[in-house]
Amino acid sequence: MMDKIARAFKRHGRADLPKYASSALFRYSWLTSTAFIASGLMLDMGLAAGAARAETAAPASPSAEVENAGAQVPELVVTARKRDENLLKVPVAINAVSAEAISQQNIASLQDVARYTPSLMINDVASNQATRNNQQITMRGMYAQGSPAVSVFIDGAPVAGGFVSNIRDAQRIEVLKGPQTAYFGRQTFAGAINIVTKDPGAHLGGSVDVLVGQDNWRDLSASLEGPITSWLAGRVMVRDMKKGGQYTNSVDGSTLGTQGTQSVALNLKATPFEGFTAKFYGTYWEDRDGPAAIAKLTSKDYNCNAGSAAAGTNNYICGELPLISNNRVGMVTALSPQFVNNVLNSTSTALNPLFGNLITTPGFGRNAGHVHLDLEYAPANWGGITISSLTGYNSARTMALSNLDNQDTRDIANPYASLIPGTLSYTLWQTRVQSLSHDFSQELRVATDQKARLRAMIGLNYARARSQSYIDGYFPYGAGTFGSGGHTQTETKAVFFSLGFNLTDKLTLNAEGRYQDDGIAVYSRSRTAAPSVIASANNKKFLPRVSVQYDMNRDVMFYASYARGVNPPTFNTGLVGVDSRIVDEFRNIYNATLSVQPETNDDYELGVKGLFFDRHLQLSVDGYYIKWKNQIVSIFGVVPGVSGVNGGAPYSTNVMVNAGRTTLWGIEAEGMLVVDKHLSADFSVAWNPSSMDSYPNYVCPASACVANNGYTNVNGHTLPYGPQFGANLGITYKGALTSTLDYYVRVEDAYKGKRYIDMTNLNWIGSSNVVNLRGGLSWKGTKLEAFVENLFQNRQYAGYYGGTDIDASANSSGVYPAAFQVVMPALRRFGFKMSHTF
């Protein structure tokens, strides 16, 4: 491969080298991964006899054992079924990231996890914002527009909103693919992410990590653990992270994209008497970010006619979104005096924020906390029966001060300036967005001996969550609000179970299920009256999962499974409080009602997991087929209007409707090859295609389509948001310079294919390929590393969201032209990291 790069250097010149080298490295990665998978499948089908013979073979000589020390794939334990199990013995598609990989790959956030998991995408954008408060998680191309399709857990306890700022100190991270309702409950329609924390050690010890890098990047963390009494141990961890922005605001020269987090976490483990264990985990963190690096693609970027506008009129962006090739993005971020006086410092009763200002400068802030208590009682004389309790609580408060325009609007005249005294002369939509959330969960379960031939578990679960958001700001026409900020409350009651039975020594049948009662209610909010229920809905479902697994030998296992998932009902809050005649129009035209029914899926999977080549190769391969029904789709709807309401003008709002069915299928593989004690490789690959079967009355987002009734035939199209193809490869070489000084070098290549913007498949974000290099020295508990991330300067957008150009003029139907907000990617960064463990 390096010869190819060298020849390209001579043939094309220095400017072409990064692009060609990145492409060549990915091709090498893909071929290597494919070879691994093919080898594993061949061994799986044809070398069972050889594996069986290996079980009875004579043990290796002591000298051979010394030579091969560390040259086999290490065992990784997961808790996907609420108990400790070998990753390769669980009949579930899982990507697991170990503590070693977290440190080695500098993983500090769930976005970093997604970078190394081809089936997982995390998009930090929503509602004209690109802050860490807005997290769209897509698994296997499934992104739900009602309730989240993927939830985040810490030690099995749910985390409100899925926002976890620090995972650097985790023991491991488990990405579970497919419906996980049976064990993890609501909002695991497409999968779940479980962050497993470290137990405190039995001896006094700790660690210090210092990372410094380009663009004022620093990440400092420290931990201390050890015994407190003879039966109680503790662990405390603190972190201070600051990451400078890499983009310059062309309007005022300020820096865009800065982030900061401070956090503290505490683990306690108590074993006061035999058979009883109590684990407590608590964490609190504060995020303070500056304005995000966002760009807005508008009419100047249009290149096609997506509807029925006049011939030659471009009204949309078709094909790959054009890239921004420099580090400058233009937008007004400084808070105007009008915004400060009439919003931040306002005493007017017309505004009704949820709490006092968390931040007073442009950007984003969050104060959040999570605690859970895990109790387990399993006396020795109970014959393996275990009683467990898991109690969790989350609370979060966030605030963002941002500009909805996301562009330089100083040359766009404000039409209200001459009509309303005190307003700005140019158009500006500066907003304050606040949110509050807190939730409580309680789980009780009883399990029999999980090593017995017949195993059983039964449990009860209760969860209650409350969330609310409030938006106000200073707009071209003055101060105003979007909605009252009323809260939404959900309550879930469930009973769940599992049964496992070894039909033979090799064949096992597993049956799991959850009966779930989901309730949701939306409340009003005002200064003068107590909250009252505006709308409510309830849904009861039984959600099964059945699997069969066959152990070919001690190292290779096949499985087949079926699972059903459900996403809870939701509401069209944009229709709350609207004249009933307008609501009737939305129902008649778009089939949009106040309450939106739950969506379901049926997931069928086949998989194989095993160790091959004398346990030098670990391989997991799964194939899946999913039918997604009653799909909730968000559309921008416009109705003609009725006499006496808003002057009879057209009325428009975003509404969600049950308007679709989609078929998804794919193949995923991940594994590790340990060649010898020096050389190893880890890899993963995923192919996640989809086909929309039926989407009646789907509305084209291009404004010109309204002239053609707004409907678009999207049958057969691919789902947006997630790439169809992704692959990762990491190659590590370790060696010894002296008897006490070791070294390592590592190269990583992460590829993700193109992602469609919406269901029309008219436009997309192009593929990305990010290459990282790392190298370091270690001796006596100390490690020093140098690294460069995004070596070849990939500039493909990190996120995006479609929307409307609020700075343009609406057409006769009240529809604004389309605009696309894109999130700029992290560029090349050099850095150093020092770690010391004692």
Side-chain angles (χ1 to χ4, degrees), residues 35 101 158 308 310 737 792:
S308 56
L737 294 176
F792 297 124

Side-chain angles (χ1 to χ4, degrees), residues 143-162:
Y143 168 68
Q145 301 187 34
S147 298
V150 180
S151 288
V152 178
F153 301 80
I154 299 179
D155 293 330
V159 178

Side-chain angles (χ1 to χ4, degrees), residues 534-547:
I534 299 173
S536 63
N538 189 267
N539 183 259
K540 299 177 181 180
K541 289 281 187 182
F542 175 68
L543 304 165
R545 181 165 72 183
V546 180
S547 64

Side-chain angles (χ1 to χ4, degrees), residues 286 365 397 508 632:
E286 294 184 356
R397 182 173 63 160
T508 301
I632 297 174

Side-chain angles (χ1 to χ4, degrees), residues 367-378:
N367 295 354
H370 165 92
V371 295
H372 69 257
L373 177 64
D374 190 355
L375 306 176
E376 184 175 291
Y377 186 47

Side-chain angles (χ1 to χ4, degrees), residues 1-2 24-33 36 104-105 116 671-676 678-684 728-734 743-750 771-775:
M1 181 188 67
M2 295 307 298
L25 184 56
F26 172 69
R27 287 197 295 270
Y28 175 77
S29 306
W30 166 233
L31 290 173
T32 306
S33 299
F36 287 161
Q104 189 177 64
Q105 299 173 30
Y116 298 108
M672 174 181 289
L673 175 66
V674 179
V675 179
D676 54 33
H678 300 292
L679 181 63
S680 64
D682 50 272
F683 60 94
S684 56
N728 295 78
L729 176 66
I731 300 175
T732 304
Y733 187 85
K734 299 178 180 179
Y743 72 93
Y744 83 95
V745 291
R746 177 176 171 84
V747 58
E748 301 161 354
D749 189 4
V771 176
N772 303 328
L773 293 179
R774 309 182 191 279

Side-chain angles (χ1 to χ4, degrees), residues 638-641 648-652 703-704 706-707 809-817:
V638 182
V639 299
Y651 189 91
S652 62
S703 58
V706 174
S809 300
N811 64 15
S812 59
S813 299
V815 179
Y816 286 83

